[in-house]
């Protein structure tokens, strides 16, 4: 810990946070409370929110949904990406499907999932899947960069 403090990394991190807070305060002074609340007001509101046990229950539910969605995205996107690396037919099929998925704005997927599943876990999980699977798929494909 002593090395970290002496190396200046802690001070540069603190300087970045101070700069962020100063820019936030300047934005608040330029645009007012309606557009950008003051940093101290926001911190006070966050402390009030975090002090309520009901909000912690909501937070835990949200994190559970997000974890399920991202885990499924990693499994589905990673598995299909690896398969598509070895199978040109799978890649052609996936390319068409990904074009459709990526061509629809994320807000539209959110509305569709809300219609299909209501305000349930399924809506959140499907929205995360649609947003993350194409990215994981593309990142997990084994590309031969040296041959391009």
């Amino acid at each position: 810990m002593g090395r970290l403090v002496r190396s200046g990394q802690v001070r540069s991190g603190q300087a970045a946070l101070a700069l962020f807070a100063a820019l936030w305060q300047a934005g608040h002074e330029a645009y007012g409370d309606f557009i950008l609340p003051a940093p101290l007001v926001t911190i006070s509101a966050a402390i009030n929110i975090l002090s309520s046990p009901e909000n912690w229950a909501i937070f835990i539910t949200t994190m559970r949904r997000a974890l399920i969605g991202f885990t499924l995205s990693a499994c589905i996107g990673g598995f299909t990406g690896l398969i598509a690396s070895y199978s040109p037919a799978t890649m052609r099929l996936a390319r068409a499907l990904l074009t459709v998925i990526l061509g629809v704005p994320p807000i539209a997927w959110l509305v569709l999932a809300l219609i299909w599943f209501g305000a349930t876990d399924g809506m959140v999980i499907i929205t995360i899947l649609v947003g993350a699977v194409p990215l994981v798929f593309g990142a997990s494909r084994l590309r031969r960069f040296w041959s391009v």
Side-chain angles (χ1 to χ4, degrees):
M1 179 68 181
R3 270 190 180 153
L4 182 68
V5 172
R6 286 191 300 273
S7 70
Q9 292 176 359
V10 171
R11 285 177 286 189
S12 63
Q14 292 169 343
L17 288 175
L19 177 63
F20 176 73
L23 290 173
W24 185 353
Q25 182 65 35
H28 164 69
E29 291 173 6
Y31 297 108
D33 278 331
F34 184 71
I35 301 296
L36 187 62
L40 291 177
V41 172
T42 305
I43 290 170
S44 174
I47 290 170
N48 287 338
I49 289 170
L50 292 174
S51 65
S52 171
E54 297 88 24
N55 292 332
W56 280 103
I58 294 169
F59 174 76
I60 290 169
T61 301
T62 302
M63 288 298 107
R64 181 181 49 80
R65 291 172 173 174
L67 185 61
I68 291 169
F70 283 119
T71 302
L72 286 173
S73 296
C75 292
I76 294 169
F79 183 70
T80 55
L82 289 174
I83 290 174
S85 296
Y86 295 105
S87 170
T90 305
M91 187 58 216
R92 284 192 299 275
L93 178 66
R95 186 176 293 139
L97 186 60
L98 291 175
T99 301
V100 171
I101 290 173
L102 292 173
V104 177
I107 191 70
W109 286 114
L110 181 66
V111 172
L112 286 172
L114 191 56
I115 291 169
W116 293 334
F117 299 102
T120 63
D121 291 357
M123 186 266 303
V124 177
I125 293 168
I126 291 297
T127 304
I128 292 171
L129 280 172
V130 168
V133 165
L135 300 175
V136 175
F137 175 86
S140 65
R141 280 192 43 232
L142 297 174
R143 295 188 182 125
R144 294 181 180 92
F145 292 110
W146 57 85
S147 65
V148 175

